Amino acid sequence: MRPPPALSHFARQHFERELGERLRQWCDSHAGDGRSPLFRPRLLPEMARPLAVAALVGGPAESIAAAVAAFALAIDGTDRMDRIGFARSLLFRAGVKAADCCWWRRRRPGDPWDSGYLRHDPAAVARLDAFLPRRATFLVAQDMAAPTLRKAVVTLRHRQGLFAHPVRLLVLGTTLAAGLEPLDIIEPPGSGT
């Protein structure tokens, strides 16, 4: 993965907030509570959908890309750490690491997810064969070639039975290829929903 891009001037606050709410609802949908029984830490938490793949269709490309980047930075806590300063961000990170060790703890709405953009090179896609999320994970596949995207989706679907945390893959800016189904469709604000 690579980190989300820096925010651009194309981000619009209202659009960004409304799209972020839709994305958050999709991420949390059927994600389970993230906990294993206290005396059975190796038992995977119950999740109706360990992996979900969605496409964001329609809307202005620059605004969508900026809003998705803003959401990725919000869901992983980067924007929060930028606001609270260096010393408090160290404490925040320590708290996140401590929570990762507590397999019996329920995931809370404010808990950060990992987030990042999938790399397009074949070696990076091949590394998905060993991917196991360390916490709930939001991934973005932006402008990926159809065969590369299909390979990434097939690999993640093959591995989802091993996931202890939900993984959400959002597809942006590409012509949707066959073989991605089942696929959720997320419409941007102002598209008639």
Side-chain angles (χ1 to χ4, degrees):
M1 288 191 302
R2 61 182 169 82
L7 296 182
S8 76
H9 64 282
F10 289 107
R12 297 188 324 249
Q13 197 170 30
H14 175 72
F15 182 88
E16 185 179 295
R17 185 175 51 252
E18 192 173 334
L19 182 56
E21 289 169 3
R22 290 178 189 193
L23 291 173
R24 187 64 202 224
Q25 184 178 15
W26 170 69
C27 284
D28 290 338
S29 177
H30 306 290
D33 65 8
R35 65 187 183 111
S36 295
L38 180 62
F39 297 110
R40 298 188 67 197
R42 295 189 187 268
L43 185 67
L44 293 177
E46 289 186 31
M47 279 183 283
R49 290 177 77 186
L51 174 71
V53 180
L56 188 53
V57 296
E62 292 96 359
S63 292
I64 287 174
V68 169
F71 176 75
L73 292 169
I75 200 169
D76 74 4
T78 298
D79 64 344
R80 186 180 330 172
M81 288 190 301
D82 288 346
R83 286 191 312 269
I84 63 177
F86 180 73
R88 289 180 61 201
S89 70
L90 289 177
L91 291 173
F92 174 75
R93 285 178 189 221
V96 170
K97 296 293 186 189
D100 287 347
C101 297
C102 300
W103 64 89
W104 63 88
R105 178 184 174 273
R106 289 183 188 272
R107 188 173 43 256
R108 297 178 183 136
D111 287 350
W113 288 42
D114 280 341
S115 73
Y117 285 58
L118 291 179
R119 295 181 185 271
H120 296 212
D121 58 284
V125 174
R127 284 192 296 274
L128 289 175
D129 284 329
F131 173 71
L132 289 174
R134 62 183 176 166
R135 67 181 61 98
T137 303
F138 174 72
L139 301 172
V140 179
Q142 185 172 16
D143 299 322
M144 289 184 87
T148 306
L149 178 59
R150 192 177 306 110
K151 168 74 171 136
V153 170
V154 167
T155 301
L156 289 171
R157 285 191 173 139
H158 177 71
R159 295 195 55 77
Q160 71 180 329
L162 303 172
F163 292 173
H165 306 283
V167 174
R168 301 298 181 249
L169 174 62
L170 182 66
V171 178
L172 290 182
T174 188
T175 304
L176 296 178
L180 299 183
E181 301 80 15
L183 182 72
D184 298 326
I185 301 296
I186 299 173
E187 294 182 356
S191 61
T193 58

